[in-house]
Structure formats: structure tokens, C-alpha cells
């Protein structure tokens, strides 16, 4: 990016930060930003398609191969073992996110509440996400305003 | 119609999954439960494949799910569905970049969204742990041994393959003793998830006992 003169380091850092706090995959968000800067809205779309294109090809090929061999015993056993690693991968992601997200008692309470609710109910995650956004605004904006007024 | 549904499901995922690729997991588990396009076990395999191939993991998982559901057109549909909300949101946000960054409402929303996202991923991780160490306990702990028969239809599963459509569930009773129920019985209940979560802990003990 810098070599092509499309973005400065600071801009990249900014995009990445915003990419993390907008919905969707971070890499996609950053690519959209970069594309938009170079070529406007069309550039944003084109850059995004560029990011997903290799994934699309590689995964389609791999998925085809894996589905073909999925019934073979040793492939099955291999995946049974790989699943153990998957657990580690997920909790690795959780630990990383934890450091940034659970910063005080309020966020800890929200974390515990949503974890329990999602384990115990069948509700769609969409509901939890909406609930969390609203309660975040209430906790940060509304309550603080009340505090200042006093 | 299938493609439209696929697009819509992934559009929702892209719109509400906040915090990177792993944040799509809870949505994918929800999708597995609701649509039956793929099983939870397949999903765990998908995570492994997506994580170990180049490209953002969220995109990789969407492509994989789409491929399993509808071949190459499905893969394209799911991926486009996932990235469409990102592109729309970013193009809008980019226009109001400064306002977006300074808004205390946005900051407040993300103050709540980040722990929520972490909690949802934790929950998805617990599901994978359960399926790896308990439900497939048939493989890890007692390969070839028979599991207790379902109390209502007395079908017995003896391998993981039989276990899958015939998940052994136990209703909770005092002292953790319960009755194995097969997936069919459990399906009659409106929601099978809480029961499954709690019941498989005693189940695993049982499965190991049988093996011993």
C-alpha cells in the first residue's frame, strides 16, 4: 500500500481501528476503506472483491476435496483430532478479545449475562448484539449524563 | 430461493458480527441449528480449514458454508452476502469519518458490543469443546462400546455415526442421574439446546463408565 502511494501508515492504522469497530470481517473493512480512497465508492467495492477472491477459489477447491474424502476413516479421525486444536483456536481468540472488551465491572456483567443467556436460550445472536449495543449506549451515554447533571 | 436465503443469512451475519472473523461463529452455529444446511461437527472442521488457509477467516468460513450448501454458486452467494453489509457500512462511515470517530453514541454502543461479542464467541467455543470431548466421547473415550439405549424408543447407538442422529440426552434429575433420550424425543421439546448442554455432562461420565 505504501509503496503504491495509496495510503500513509497513519491512514492504515486509522482504517484498521475503524475496521475493528464496524460490523463484518476486519480485513474486508480495511480493504473497502483503502479502495474508496483510491477510486471512490467503486474502488471500495473492487478492493473488497479482490480480498475475497483468493479465499473463494482456495476454499471452493479445498471444500470440494474435503467433501469427497469426508467419509474415509482416516480423514474422519484426523478431523476428530483437529477439533481439539479448534477449541484452542477459539479460546485464543476469546482471550485476545477479552483484554480489549472486558475493561470494568459493567462490561464483565454484560459479558456474563450474554454468555449465560446464549447458553441457556435458543435466541438468535442478533438479539444479543442489539441488546448489547443499546445497553452500551445506556451505560456510557445516558448514565454519564445523569452523573454530570448531579 | 435457496441462494436468496443463503444470501440473507450471511448478510445478517456480516451486519451483526462485530470483532473479526471469529465473531461470525455464533451466527454460524445458529444457522446450523435453524437451517440444517450443515452440522455442528462440519462447522468445527470448517474452522480448522478456514484458519489454516490464507485469507480472512470469516470470509473463508462463509465460502465453505456456501459451498457445502450450494456448490460454487453457493460459495459466491454466501461470500457476497457476508461482505455486502461491510462494504455498505464502510462506505457510509467513510463519508462521515470524523463524526463517526467522535460520536459518543458509537463509542457507547461498542463499549457494550465488545463484551457481547466476546461472550458469544465463548459460548460457541464451549459448544465446540462439548462436541469434541463429550458428544464425540464415543470416539475419544469408548470407541466401539455401546451407549445406553434411549429410554423412550430403546434404540441404542454404538458408534459416533449412530450417535449423531441419535444423540443421547439425559434429563436432569437429582444426583445427576437421568434417562437417556434420543434426538427425536428431544426434538419434540421446543428448544433442545439447554437440555443438550446440561445433559451431556452426565452423559460423558456415563459413556466412559460403559467403556470401562
Amino acid at each position: 500500500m505504501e509503496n503504491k502511494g495509496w495510503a500513509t501508515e497513519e491512514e492504515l492504522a486509522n482504517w484498521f481501528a475503524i475496521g475493528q469497530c464496524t460490523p463484518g470481517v476486519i480485513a474486508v473493512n480495511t480493504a473497502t476503506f483503502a479502495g474508496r480512497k483510491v477510486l471512490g465508492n467503486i474502488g471500495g467495492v473492487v478492493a473488497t472483491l479482490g480480498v475475497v477472491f483468493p479465499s473463494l477459489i482456495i476454499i471452493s477447491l479445498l471444500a470440494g476435496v474435503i467433501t469427497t474424502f469426508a467419509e474415509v476413516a482416516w480423514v474422519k479421525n484426523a478431523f476428530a483430532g483437529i477439533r481439539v486444536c479448534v477449541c484452542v483456536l477459539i479460546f485464543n481468540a476469546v482471550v485476545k478479545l477479552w483484554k480489549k472488551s472486558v475493561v470494568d465491572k459493567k462490561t464483565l456483567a454484560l459479558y456474563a449475562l450474554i454468555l449465560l443467556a446464549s447458553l441457556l436460550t435458543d435466541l438468535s445472536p442478533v438479539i444479543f448484539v442489539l441488546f448489547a449495543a443499546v445497553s452500551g449506549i445506556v451505560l456510557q451515554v445516558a448514565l454519564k449524563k445523569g452523573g454530570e447533571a448531579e | 430461493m435457496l441462494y436468496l436465503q443463503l444470501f440473507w443469512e450471511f448478510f445478517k451475519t456480516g451486519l451483526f458480527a462485530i470483532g473479526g472473523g471469529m465473531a461470525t461463529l455464533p451466527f454460524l452455529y445458529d444457522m446450523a441449528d435453524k437451517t440444517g444446511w450443515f452440522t455442528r461437527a462440519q462447522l468445527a472442521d470448517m474452522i480448522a480449514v478456514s484458519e489454516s488457509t490464507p485469507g480472512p477467516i470469516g470470509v473463508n468460513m462463509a465460502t465453505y458454508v456456501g459451498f457445502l450448501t450450494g456448490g460454487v454458486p453457493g460459495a459466491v452467494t454466501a461470500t457476497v452476502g457476508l461482505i455486502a453489509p461491510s462494504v455498505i457500512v464502510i462506505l457510509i462511515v467513510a463519508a462521515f469519518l470524523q463524526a463517526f470517530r467522535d460520536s459518543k453514541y458509537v463509542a457507547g454502543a461498542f463499549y457494550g458490543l465488545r463484551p457481547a461479542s466476546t461472550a458469544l464467541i465463548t459460548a460457541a467455543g464451549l459448544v465446540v469443546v462439548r462436541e469434541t470431548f463429550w458428544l464425540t466421547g464415543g470416539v475419544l473415550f469408548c470407541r466401539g462400546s455401546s451407549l445406553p439405549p434411549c429410554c423412550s424408543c430403546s434404540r441404542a447407538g454404538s458408534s459416533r455415526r449412530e450417535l449423531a442422529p441419535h444423540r443421547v440426552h439425559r434429563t436432569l434429575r437429582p444426583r445427576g442421574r437421568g434417562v437417556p433420550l434420543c434426538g427425536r424425543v428431544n426434538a419434540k421439546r421446543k428448544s433442545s439446546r439447554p437440555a443438550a448442554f446440561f445433559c451431556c455432562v452426565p452423559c460423558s461420565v456415563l459413556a466412559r463408565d460403559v467403556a470401562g
Side-chain angles (χ1 to χ4, degrees):
Chain A
M1 283 272 208
E2 280 183 64
N3 288 343
K4 293 213 156 72
W6 285 347
T8 62
E9 203 168 313
E10 199 197 328
E11 274 178 313
L12 263 183
N14 269 345
W15 292 337
F16 191 72
I18 297 167
Q20 278 180 313
C21 42
T22 41
V25 183
I26 298 168
V28 171
N29 294 347
T30 316
T32 313
F33 264 121
R36 183 181 176 279
K37 167 143 191 257
V38 178
L39 260 183
N41 288 352
I42 295 168
V45 175
V46 172
T48 310
L49 291 181
V51 166
V52 297
F53 200 61
S55 293
L56 208 55
I57 295 172
I58 295 171
I59 296 286
S60 295
L61 289 175
L62 264 181
V65 172
I66 291 169
T67 359
T68 317
F69 293 107
E71 289 306 307
V72 180
W74 67 264
V75 176
K76 270 191 172 173
N77 290 339
F79 271 114
I82 290 170
R83 238 166 266 167
V84 179
C85 307
V86 170
C87 301
V88 179
L89 285 176
I90 295 176
F91 284 103
N92 190 26
V94 168
V95 169
K96 270 190 203 154
L97 281 172
W98 175 279
K99 285 175 192 157
K100 275 186 254 169
S101 61
V102 183
V103 288
D104 51 23
K105 278 184 191 157
K106 279 180 271 180
T107 41
L108 182 66
L110 203 58
Y111 172 86
L113 182 72
I114 291 186
L115 177 61
L116 274 180
S118 70
L119 287 174
L120 298 179
T121 63
D122 244 347
L123 294 173
S124 158
V126 174
I127 295 167
F128 296 125
V129 168
L130 291 176
F131 169 79
V134 171
S135 44
I137 294 175
V138 170
L139 285 173
Q140 280 297 78
V141 181
L143 289 184
K144 276 202 178 148
K145 233 179 222 163
E148 279 163 25
E150 282 164 26
Chain B
M1 201 48 223
L2 173 74
Y3 294 118
L4 210 64
Q5 210 187 341
L6 200 61
F7 181 85
W8 171 238
E9 286 295 330
F10 276 95
F11 190 87
K12 272 198 300 191
T13 306
L15 189 60
F16 290 105
I18 288 148
M22 281 292 181
T24 58
L25 263 192
F27 294 87
L28 293 179
Y29 273 102
D30 195 51
M31 221 185 280
D33 290 344
K34 282 189 184 143
T35 62
W37 288 334
F38 45 91
T39 65
R40 288 163 158 230
Q42 276 176 309
L43 196 52
D45 301 344
M46 274 178 225
I47 302 166
V49 173
S50 310
E51 184 74 84
S52 44
T53 43
I57 157 162
V59 174
N60 289 349
M61 285 205 281
T63 312
Y64 202 129
V65 171
F67 186 89
L68 286 185
T69 316
V72 175
V76 176
T77 313
T79 310
V80 172
L82 182 79
I83 60 173
S86 286
V87 174
I88 296 170
V89 170
I90 293 285
L91 291 182
I92 294 172
V93 165
F96 306 100
L97 192 54
Q98 209 51 46
F100 181 83
R101 295 191 64 188
D102 296 341
S103 164
K104 56 184 176 184
Y105 291 99
V106 174
F110 280 97
Y111 175 79
L113 282 171
R114 276 189 293 262
S117 182
T118 314
L120 289 173
I121 300 173
T122 314
L126 289 176
V127 170
V128 180
V129 169
R130 192 195 86 202
E131 308 218 327
T132 307
F133 294 101
W134 284 310
L135 264 190
T136 57
V139 168
L140 287 171
F141 299 121
C142 58
R143 183 198 292 267
S145 66
S146 60
L147 286 145
C150 169
C151 69
S152 77
C153 58
S154 63
R155 271 181 60 189
S158 62
S159 67
R160 183 153 70 107
R161 183 180 289 207
E162 279 170 79
L163 197 67
H166 193 87
R167 273 192 277 171
V168 182
H169 291 151
R170 305 179 85 206
T171 50
L172 270 188
R173 277 184 177 184
R175 290 188 301 142
R177 303 217 154 241
V179 187
L181 284 176
C182 74
R184 235 184 310 161
V185 178
N186 218 47
K188 281 184 194 158
R189 302 160 50 122
K190 206 175 167 202
S191 150
S192 67
R193 212 196 271 171
F197 182 76
F198 282 120
C199 297
C200 288
V201 179
C203 251
S204 71
V205 177
L206 195 73
R208 254 182 292 182
D209 287 347
V210 172

